[in-house]
Amino acid sequence: TNLERVEVLKGPASIVYGEIQPGGIINLVTKQPLAEPFYQVDLDIGSRGLLQPQVDITGPLNSEGSILYRLNASYFHDDGFIDSASDTERTFISPVLAFKIGDRTDLTVSAEYSNEDAPFDNGLPVIGDRVVDVLFDRSVVTRDGFVESELFRVGYNLEHRFSDNWRIRNAFEYSSRNVLD
């Protein structure tokens, strides 16, 4: 709902971005406010009780276009294909505000909240070089084997351009995840 694109940097060059393995890094780029109004509503309906409405709206908040907003929200419900497991539900909302403080200074403030209630499932074990062969609707999850996960993030990006070649950027993010069982 909130992703604009996924960037992948492969190989040893990815080490430049932190203390990670040299195999690569994945960067998730979130949607940012646009200067032109944009409104999109999607609704996915499918088998097994699948219901997923999504909203993506953006544009300027004032006539000068110095304050922009974007709001992404979605809800997901699925009964699942396993009879003994229960439903999966997910709620997501992400507001973003962008301020053009001056000709050369921008501030973007963003938040994200999600809540998910889903079966706790670690998958199937592997024997040899194959996954254990079980019936399609077989579950190793008990009816009480559910996990509720709540994520909250808030942060900002501040950029000031001294010239076309020199700029300074500052960013901060607070993130909290609670997992309840």
Side-chain angles (χ1 to χ4, degrees):
T1 299
N2 196 32
L3 286 180
E4 182 177 311
R5 67 183 181 275
V6 177
E7 300 172 338
V8 178
L9 181 58
K10 297 181 185 179
S14 63
I15 271 189
V16 171
Y17 296 97
E19 190 176 323
I20 58 169
Q21 298 298 320
I25 189 170
I26 296 174
N27 183 33
L28 304 176
V29 180
T30 58
K31 295 178 180 177
Q32 296 300 307
L34 302 175
E36 296 294 321
F38 173 79
Y39 311 101
Q40 181 174 341
V41 176
D42 293 324
L43 177 62
D44 297 332
I45 299 174
S47 58
R48 297 187 300 265
L50 174 66
L51 175 66
Q52 185 174 7
Q54 299 179 71
V55 174
D56 182 3
I57 57 176
T58 185
L61 281 177
N62 60 1
S63 58
E64 298 85 29
S66 61
I67 303 174
L68 307 174
Y69 77 95
R70 187 152 202 167
L71 177 67
N72 285 287
S74 70
Y75 171 78
F76 175 86
H77 178 272
D78 182 30
D79 291 339
F81 62 89
I82 301 172
D83 292 335
S84 63
S86 298
D87 305 346
T88 297
E89 285 193 3
R90 184 180 310 117
T91 305
F92 175 86
I93 187 165
S94 177
V96 181
L97 286 173
F99 303 91
K100 294 185 183 201
I101 298 171
D103 292 342
R104 298 179 174 265
T105 306
D106 300 321
L107 172 67
T108 303
V109 179
S110 60
E112 184 177 303
Y113 172 81
S114 67
N115 185 306
E116 181 177 30
D117 193 18
F120 180 73
D121 187 357
N122 284 327
L124 297 172
V126 174
I127 296 179
D129 61 350
R130 300 191 57 177
V131 174
V132 173
D133 188 23
V134 296
L135 298 173
F136 180 70
D137 62 350
R138 178 71 52 161
S139 173
V140 294
V141 178
T142 65
R143 288 193 183 274
D144 297 332
F146 265 70
V147 174
E148 182 178 354
S149 173
E150 186 175 62
L151 171 69
F152 174 72
R153 277 197 276 237
V154 64
Y156 72 85
N157 289 308
L158 176 65
E159 179 178 305
H160 179 75
R161 295 169 295 285
F162 295 103
S163 68
D164 290 341
N165 298 322
W166 288 91
R167 70 179 70 191
I168 186 169
R169 293 180 182 157
N170 180 264
F172 172 80
E173 178 179 278
Y174 168 79
S175 180
S176 172
R177 179 179 290 268
N178 294 321
V179 178
L180 312 167
D181 50 344

